[in-house]
């Protein structure tokens, strides 16, 4: 659901009201009914406030609308101990549209900011992170986030694949292929006129015991 289209329709529907509001506020001869003049002024002010709110935010969402972006996140441990260096090549694909990144760490698990790299793919972008997602894990972990371009259509059943290779040992650490069913997520308030995003989460299985 793309809210911009809904707002465009709402604003387009309201635009014709503006000239009538202006006409109602045109000067009239003295002696007119003061009650009617007051009602007209109040109606005009209300309409202008409503129009301003439409252009400034999300009144039909009670002012709680929050923007977000569609995404698919793939995360989990890989088969390298956290106290060992990690030299990785990651190939991440969405509907056979692939991006490849390299992540290198010569130190034990990162203490603060994860190592990250991104690549453009047709219709979007993929971000890969080498991180300490769960301090109780004994393996390095990765997080891969696919972000489609705005207005890109997503369909249930789309396939995501990830391949992670240890460049030092030339060993495949992760080989994953999953189809997804997207969940509609509301970052703010849920409602017909509130912004929602498509999201899916995929967990990488724990490394097989060596």
């Amino acid at each position: 659901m793309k809210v911009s289209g809904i707002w465009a329709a709402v604003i387009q529907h309201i635009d014709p009201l503006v000239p009538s509001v202006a006409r109602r506020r045109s000067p009239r001869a003295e002696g007119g009914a003061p009650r009617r003049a007051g009602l007209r002024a109040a109606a005009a002010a209300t309409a202008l406030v409503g129009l301003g709110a439409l252009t400034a935010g999300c009144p039909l969402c009670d002012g709680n609308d929050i923007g977000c972006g569609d995404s698919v996140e793939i995360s989990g441990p890989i088969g390298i101990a956290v106290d060992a260096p990690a030299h990785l090549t990651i190939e991440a694909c969405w509907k056979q549209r692939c991006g490849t990144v390299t992540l290198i760490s010569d130190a034990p698990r990162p203490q603060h900011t994860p190592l990250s790299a991104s690549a453009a793919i047709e219709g979007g972008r993929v971000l890969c992170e080498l991180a300490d997602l769960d301090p109780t894990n004994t393996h390095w972990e990765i997080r891969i986030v696919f972000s489609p371009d705005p207005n890109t259509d997503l369909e249930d059943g789309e396939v995501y694949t990830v391949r992670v290779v240890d460049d030092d040992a030339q060993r495949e650490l992760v080989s994953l292929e999953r189809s997804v069913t997207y969940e509609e997520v509301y970052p703010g308030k849920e409602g017909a006129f509130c912004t929602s995003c498509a999201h899916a989460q995929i967990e990488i299985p724990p490394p097989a015991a060596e």
Side-chain angles (χ1 to χ4, degrees):
M1 179 177 68
K2 300 297 181 185
V3 175
S4 57
I6 294 174
W7 285 128
V10 173
I11 292 172
Q12 188 176 36
H13 178 71
I14 287 179
D15 279 345
L17 296 177
V18 177
S20 63
V21 170
R23 286 196 298 272
R24 290 179 182 181
R25 297 188 64 180
S26 59
R28 290 186 179 270
E30 294 182 5
R35 178 176 174 79
R36 290 183 179 178
L39 290 174
R40 284 196 297 270
T46 301
L48 289 174
V49 168
L51 182 61
L54 277 175
T55 59
C58 182
L60 296 181
C61 196
D62 296 334
N64 293 319
D65 199 37
I66 300 174
C68 65
D70 299 335
S71 65
V72 172
E73 181 176 321
I74 301 173
S75 61
I78 59 177
I80 296 180
V82 293
D83 58 356
H87 300 163
L88 308 177
T89 295
I90 302 172
E91 182 183 64
C93 306
W94 164 52
K95 298 196 299 185
Q96 298 182 337
R97 306 169 183 178
C98 300
T100 302
V101 303
T102 300
L103 293 176
I104 298 174
S105 175
D106 290 315
R109 75 166 77 204
Q111 299 300 313
H112 301 291
T113 306
L115 299 171
S116 64
S118 64
I121 59 175
E122 182 183 349
R125 195 162 192 85
V126 59
L127 170 69
C128 301
E129 294 180 337
L130 182 62
D132 181 16
L133 303 178
D134 181 355
T136 66
N137 266 334
T138 59
H139 291 87
W140 283 99
E141 300 164 273
I142 60 169
R143 177 189 284 125
I144 300 170
V145 180
F146 292 86
S147 301
D149 292 335
N151 301 318
T152 297
D153 292 331
L154 300 177
E155 297 180 359
D156 290 338
E158 292 178 338
V159 175
Y160 290 80
T161 61
V162 169
R163 183 171 179 264
V164 182
V165 174
D166 179 351
D167 291 335
D168 293 332
Q170 287 301 300
R171 179 168 62 99
E172 188 176 78
L173 303 174
V174 176
S175 180
L176 178 145
E177 180 175 318
R178 295 283 190 277
S179 63
V180 302
T181 298
Y182 295 102
E183 177 186 3
E184 191 171 17
V185 176
Y186 291 84
K189 181 177 180 180
E190 182 172 350
F193 294 96
C194 296
T195 299
S196 67
C197 300
H199 180 72
Q201 180 85 34
I202 300 173
E203 293 186 3
I204 297 172
E210 298 180 357

